[in-house]
């Protein structure tokens, strides 16, 4: 692995952040390749480079400088960069850890963060089932009913989709599935306080924290061998 000075590392990550914010696909890909070449950990490149670019995009959207098309183009640029980096996510975990099902909650079609969480969990050795986006409480419960799922992960990016988390947990309680799974939640609309209030077993602010949270709750599951 090439050694890279802290200042060079910061420069590459800033370049990547700006390329995402300006949805310059070729530049995003080039900066990703430079980050790989410089030996910057893939997780850091994603979370401290590209994800920061998306935050800038969100801010510009809030102040009406960007509109929906710009959000879409930035999402495409981020996905192009992820396709360069994902093959290099380190396989670090034991295989056949707990099965974890992930979905964006009802009404929410944001999936970049959820997919990242899934990729990081897969790299950590979890068996990830992707339930997709706009997943209703009934669909989450159906996934649990289907069998071997030990952990359910819910992602919510918007204030108006956050209540769907609580609805899903209540639905799982009423249908007697709640005790069969551990629940982890994340996404920009939630925090630890909300997670505690709705009775989730774990909360994670980013994809690396999601791996830590999944390992923690998996550790409390009987017969878990990871
Ligand atoms: Co939308 N959007 N969007 N959007 N979008 C936000 C979320 C918003 C904050 C922008 C803003 O106003 N600043 C705002 C929500 C405001 C609010 O409710 N507070 C918003 C809005 C309003 C909307 C629409 C309503 C716009 C419209 O139509 N007028 C619409 C809603 C669609 C719907 O869901 N029904 C909409 C649509 C879209 C696009 C489709 C254009 C696109 C999404 C494309 C896609 O996902 N395939 C999009 C985008 C790109 C964004 C922003 C700019 C970026 C989101 C993103 O991908 N971030 C976003 C602003 C922002 O977040 N700063 C915004 C990068 C990603 C890596 O981070 O998703 O946060 P994130 O995931 C992180 C952590 O949150 C965490 O780990 C991830 C990785 O580190 N995490 C988990 C996420 N899920 C987790 C689950 C876990 C654990 C951790 O455990 C299970």
């Amino acid at each position: 692995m090439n050694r890279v000075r802290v200042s060079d590392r910061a420069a590459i990550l800033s370049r990547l952040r700006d390329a995402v914010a300006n949805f310059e696909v070729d530049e995003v890909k080039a900066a990703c390749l430079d980050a790989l070449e410089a030996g910057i950990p893939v997780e850091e490149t994603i979370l401290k480079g590209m994800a920061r670019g998306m935050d800038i995009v969100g801010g510009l959207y809030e102040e009406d400088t960007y509109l929906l098309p710009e959000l879409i183009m930035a999402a495409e640029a981020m996905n192009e960069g992820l396709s360069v980096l994902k093959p290099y996510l380190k396989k670090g975990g034991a295989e056949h850890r707990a099965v974890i099902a992930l979905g964006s909650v009802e009404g929410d079609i944001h999936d970049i963060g959820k997919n990242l969480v899934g990729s990081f969990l897969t790299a950590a050795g979890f068996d990830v089932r992707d339930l997709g986006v706009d997943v209703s409480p009934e669909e989450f419960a159906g996934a649990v009913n289907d069998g071997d799922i030990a952990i359910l992960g819910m992602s919510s990016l918007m204030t108006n989709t956050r209540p769907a988390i609580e609805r899903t947990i209540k639905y799982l309680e009423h249908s007697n599935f709640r005790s069969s799974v551990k629940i982890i939640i994340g996404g920009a609309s939630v925090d630890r306080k909300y997670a505690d209030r709705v009775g989730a077993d774990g909360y994670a602010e980013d994809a690396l924290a999601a791996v830590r949270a999944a390992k923690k709750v998996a550790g409390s599951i009987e017969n878990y061998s990871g």
Side-chain angles (χ1 to χ4, degrees), residues 39-103:
I40 302 174
V42 173
E43 293 83 352
E44 190 177 337
T45 306
I46 295 172
L47 297 179
K48 295 196 176 160
M50 280 193 285
R52 300 230 163 126
M54 290 303 252
D55 285 341
I56 293 178
V57 171
L60 290 170
Y61 176 77
E62 253 167 58
E63 62 179 37
D64 287 337
T65 304
Y66 278 0
L67 302 173
L68 203 51
E70 281 86 0
L71 287 194
I72 294 169
M73 288 190 285
E76 278 168 11
M78 170 120 190
N79 279 329
E80 290 287 339
L82 287 176
S83 64
V84 173
L85 294 176
K86 271 187 189 168
Y88 298 92
L89 265 179
K90 248 192 269 128
K91 275 262 171 205
E95 292 299 325
H96 309 302
R97 281 184 193 269
V99 181
I100 174 161
L102 289 179

Side-chain angles (χ1 to χ4, degrees), residues 47 55 58 61-62 107 109-111 113 155 158-159 187 204-207:
L47 297 179
D55 285 341
Y61 176 77
E62 253 167 58
I109 62 161
H110 296 89
D111 67 357
S155 176
M158 299 193 295
T159 19
E205 68 274 13
D206 63 27

Side-chain angles (χ1 to χ4, degrees), residues 16-36:
L16 189 51
R17 178 200 64 202
D18 295 344
V20 168
N22 295 317
F23 28 85
E24 295 163 334
V25 173
D26 290 342
E27 173 66 357
V28 169
K29 286 182 177 169
C32 285
L33 290 172
D34 286 350
L36 285 171

Side-chain angles (χ1 to χ4, degrees), residues 6-223:
V6 174
S7 57
D8 295 339
R9 172 184 292 228
I12 292 173
L13 294 177
S14 304
R15 202 178 126 212
L16 189 51
R17 178 200 64 202
D18 295 344
V20 168
N22 295 317
F23 28 85
E24 295 163 334
V25 173
D26 290 342
E27 173 66 357
V28 169
K29 286 182 177 169
C32 285
L33 290 172
D34 286 350
L36 285 171
E37 170 79 19
I40 302 174
V42 173
E43 293 83 352
E44 190 177 337
T45 306
I46 295 172
L47 297 179
K48 295 196 176 160
M50 280 193 285
R52 300 230 163 126
M54 290 303 252
D55 285 341
I56 293 178
V57 171
L60 290 170
Y61 176 77
E62 253 167 58
E63 62 179 37
D64 287 337
T65 304
Y66 278 0
L67 302 173
L68 203 51
E70 281 86 0
L71 287 194
I72 294 169
M73 288 190 285
E76 278 168 11
M78 170 120 190
N79 279 329
E80 290 287 339
L82 287 176
S83 64
V84 173
L85 294 176
K86 271 187 189 168
Y88 298 92
L89 265 179
K90 248 192 269 128
K91 275 262 171 205
E95 292 299 325
H96 309 302
R97 281 184 193 269
V99 181
I100 174 161
L102 289 179
S104 300
V105 295
E106 193 165 51
D108 210 315
I109 62 161
H110 296 89
D111 67 357
I112 296 174
K114 169 191 62 79
N115 294 344
L116 260 186
V117 168
S119 300
F120 280 36
L121 286 168
T122 302
F126 285 89
D127 180 353
V128 176
R129 311 269 163 90
D130 185 6
L131 304 179
V133 298
D134 189 17
V135 181
S136 67
E138 293 79 4
E139 288 167 318
F140 276 113
V144 178
N145 187 34
D146 282 344
D148 51 356
I149 287 160
I151 305 171
L152 209 54
M154 289 186 247
S155 176
S156 158
L157 269 273
M158 299 193 295
T159 19
N160 65 345
T161 59
R162 189 174 72 166
I165 293 178
E166 191 170 9
R167 278 203 306 281
T168 303
I169 294 179
K170 289 218 159 88
Y171 188 84
L172 289 168
E173 280 163 5
H174 290 142
S175 44
N176 289 326
F177 288 128
R178 176 64 185 96
S179 57
S180 329
V181 283
K182 298 288 177 188
I183 295 175
I184 296 175
I185 66 170
S189 76
V190 298
D191 55 20
R192 187 169 300 282
K193 205 166 145 207
Y194 178 80
D196 289 343
R197 186 171 75 66
V198 297
D201 302 294
Y203 159 76
E205 68 274 13
D206 63 27
L208 279 175
V211 172
R212 286 195 297 274
K215 284 182 176 169
K216 190 169 170 200
V217 300
S220 67
I221 297 169
E222 230 180 307
N223 298 328

